[in-house]
Amino acid sequence: MRKYLLIGASAFVLGAGSMAYVSQAAIASAQPKTQTYKTLQLFGDVVDIVERQYVTEVDDKKLIEAAIDGMLTSLDPHSGYLNPDSFDDMRDQTRGEYGGLGIEVTSEDGVVKVISPMDDTPAFKAGVKAGDFITAVNGESVLGLSVNEAVKQMRGKPGELVTLTIAREKTDPFDVKIVREVIKPRSATAKMEGDYGYLRVSAFNEKTTDEAEAALADLRAKNPKMKGLILDLRNNPGGLLDQAVGISDLFLDGGEVVSQRGRDPRDIERYNARTGDAAGGLSMVVLINSGSASAAEIVAGALQDRKRAELVGLTSFGKGSVQTVIPLHGGIDGALKLTTARYYTPSGRSIQKTGIEPDLEVAETRDEAQRIANRAFQFSEASFRNALNAEEGKKRIGAHEPAEAPPTDFDTKTGDFQLARAKDVLRYGSVAATPKLPKPAPKMAAVVAPRSPSVEPPATKK
């Protein structure tokens, strides 16, 4: 069964058919296949040379698995090969339970980068942040490893201590000690924020829609005078497409949620909401930031396009592609995680690389506002060299002064400024009606290249 994520050997399918004659077009089409066969022979020759002449003995299986993964990751940052162990780990994660640290990671130029720590997990409590680089695990360098290999080192038996070496902008590399736990993050929780309901969705696994629906129903039952609802998708790295549709369906009374389009532009698959609104038509605000990716962007885009909610926060990550997990020989030989489509919001926009822009732009802290103005380092889909291209003519917003940031008398250590502004929008009825704060005036400093994450690790590292 295929799973769609937002989130063996190469198979070359050669079409077979009967022909009464050989045309020039057929000859031309055969030429690329002949080149493919020659290249595969070259690959075999390289493997043979490595087996016979490399300085130490090599594991043929690992060698070929690495080659397959390299082929797939060269396509885009989100495609890859999952060996049987990694495939099992992925299934555990989408089921919502596994032994690990609670970090969503990706790879850029051979460096493991944190997309987001999951709420209330060991990594979250230890202070790991979105955009951090993980350069070593337990003193062993992970530079150059695939994401799957790095994740395998971080996962394992609960109760064991794991030491991550972190490289972070404007700091020297440092170690973080984290104890593995059975990760059973509740992907949806709810509470009251004054007169308003607050629903936090931190990921999209197989339990997300059910958890969100139950949490929201319980909250409304206990607070019948609730005046509005805030849906918090900040630092949500995404997950299963059907769960993104399910969460959107909770708040949309029918109509389109999202569509996906593959290589053939005529190949369009649409996903629609059912009738009924679990929030009972309450006014809504959705919180997003640059850590809101993939499935989270589907929800935000659907609610924004359908005029069901207004968005507060920062431009989202910009991952507008769908990955299909294709088991190989029933999963015995692992699986391919392959980008097979782009997704489009109900109005027909692709947000690949560009992200979803909020209706009210609000930086979480004054330092964050300064970074956005300087554009010294902004982690997003556009940061990847081999990311799928955005729609022609579209670009992610560049360096600029955010519309709003916390005033100097706002304590960001104890308060959540983006949440406060979301409540203001609900209080005044809309973004347009909400009084705007004075625009922050960060110093437009010269752009400084971030510290390279691939610096030579300490001598104790492998």
Side-chain angles (χ1 to χ4, degrees):
M1 180 179 180
R2 291 186 175 184
K3 285 283 186 184
Y4 293 96
L5 290 172
L6 297 178
I7 180 47
S10 303
F12 295 90
V13 182
L14 307 179
S18 58
M19 296 178 64
Y21 62 93
V22 178
S23 66
Q24 290 296 321
I27 294 173
S29 66
Q31 289 176 346
K33 292 182 176 64
T34 301
Q35 185 62 40
T36 298
Y37 297 143
K38 287 182 179 180
T39 306
L40 288 173
Q41 182 177 355
L42 173 63
F43 174 75
D45 292 342
V46 172
V47 172
D48 179 63
I49 293 170
V50 172
E51 285 178 336
R52 291 185 290 105
Q53 298 189 27
Y54 189 66
V55 65
T56 61
E57 290 189 10
V58 296
D59 184 323
D60 292 351
K61 184 178 179 181
K62 288 185 178 179
L63 199 66
I64 293 173
E65 285 180 350
I68 296 170
D69 190 57
M71 173 184 67
L72 293 168
T73 56
S74 73
L75 299 173
D76 69 81
H78 308 294
S79 294
Y81 170 67
L82 304 172
N83 64 29
D85 289 340
S86 298
F87 185 35
D88 287 341
D89 288 343
M90 188 216 71
R91 286 185 289 190
D92 287 341
Q93 185 169 355
T94 57
R95 281 193 293 263
E97 180 176 333
Y98 58 93
L101 307 178
I103 315 174
E104 186 78 13
V105 297
T106 188
S107 178
E108 182 179 355
D109 296 333
V111 183
V112 178
K113 182 180 285 186
V114 177
I115 294 178
S116 179
M118 300 174 188
D119 289 357
D120 298 321
T121 61
F124 180 87
K125 296 172 185 176
V128 177
K129 296 182 178 181
D132 282 350
F133 297 97
I134 300 174
T135 60
V137 177
N138 290 330
E140 298 290 329
S141 174
V142 294
L143 299 177
L145 296 186
S146 69
V147 171
N148 297 331
E149 292 171 323
V151 167
K152 189 173 182 179
Q153 292 191 30
M154 287 183 271
R155 289 191 180 174
K157 187 177 179 180
E160 293 181 343
L161 182 68
V162 179
T163 301
L164 301 183
T165 302
I166 301 289
R168 182 178 295 167
E169 184 189 11
K170 297 182 180 179
T171 67
D172 292 327
F174 58 94
D175 288 343
V176 176
K177 297 183 183 297
I178 310 175
V179 177
R180 286 195 193 104
E181 294 180 5
V182 175
I183 304 298
K184 283 184 174 180
R186 285 191 62 82
S187 56
T189 57
K191 63 179 181 179
M192 290 298 294
E193 284 285 343
D195 293 331
Y196 308 107
Y198 171 87
L199 178 63
R200 166 66 180 166
V201 177
S202 59
F204 291 89
N205 59 44
E206 292 177 1
K207 302 176 182 178
T208 300
T209 300
D210 289 341
E211 289 179 356
E213 187 171 20
L216 182 58
D218 182 63
L219 191 68
R220 290 190 67 202
K222 294 177 179 177
N223 302 275
K225 295 183 179 180
M226 186 190 305
K227 294 182 178 179
L229 180 66
I230 297 167
L231 174 60
D232 190 350
L233 299 177
R234 291 176 295 180
N235 296 320
N236 182 321
L240 298 174
L241 173 61
D242 64 339
Q243 296 298 307
V245 174
I247 292 294
S248 302
D249 185 17
L250 291 179
F251 308 109
L252 294 173
D253 189 18
E256 185 171 313
V257 173
V258 66
S259 63
Q260 64 180 47
R261 307 176 195 179
R263 180 186 297 183
D264 186 342
R266 297 169 297 179
D267 182 16
I268 301 176
E269 188 168 0
R270 300 184 186 278
Y271 297 85
N272 296 311
R274 299 163 296 179
T275 56
D277 181 347
L282 286 171
S283 297
M284 284 186 65
V285 169
V286 179
L287 286 170
I288 60 171
N289 64 7
S290 60
S292 304
S294 192
E297 294 174 287
I298 285 179
V299 176
L303 298 184
Q304 185 183 51
D305 278 7
R306 298 287 306 282
K307 310 300 182 185
R308 180 62 185 88
E310 292 190 286
L311 275 50
V312 172
L314 297 173
T315 301
S316 62
F317 187 79
K319 180 182 177 292
S321 61
V322 180
Q323 283 67 49
T324 303
V325 177
I326 307 170
L328 299 172
H329 305 116
I332 295 174
D333 292 321
L336 302 183
K337 186 177 68 170
L338 190 66
T339 299
T340 54
R342 286 182 170 89
Y343 72 76
Y344 293 79
T345 67
S347 66
R349 56 176 171 153
S350 166
I351 54 87
Q352 174 62 19
K353 277 191 176 182
T354 59
I356 293 176
E357 295 181 13
D359 299 292
L360 177 61
E361 185 186 35
V362 180
E364 185 174 9
T365 65
R366 291 182 292 279
D367 286 344
E368 185 174 61
Q370 182 70 61
R371 289 195 298 271
I372 294 170
N374 290 347
R375 206 65 179 180
F377 174 73
Q378 292 293 316
F379 179 45
S380 71
E381 180 79 0
S383 304
F384 298 120
R385 291 182 182 176
N386 65 331
L388 290 178
N389 289 329
E391 285 189 345
E392 188 172 353
K394 288 190 175 181
K395 291 185 178 181
R396 187 178 180 88
I397 187 171
H400 68 286
E401 297 178 8
E404 292 190 2
T408 55
D409 59 350
F410 187 91
D411 187 353
T412 55
K413 293 182 179 179
T414 59
D416 184 334
F417 186 65
Q418 291 173 332
L419 177 60
R421 293 301 280 157
K423 289 191 284 188
D424 287 341
V425 171
L426 290 175
R427 185 177 303 115
Y428 286 98
S430 68
V431 167
T434 302
K436 304 304 183 289
L437 301 180
K439 191 170 184 178
K443 297 177 181 178
M444 300 296 287
V447 174
V448 179
R451 184 188 302 272
S452 172
S454 56
V455 293
E456 190 68 17
T460 56
K461 306 297 188 285
K462 182 177 178 181

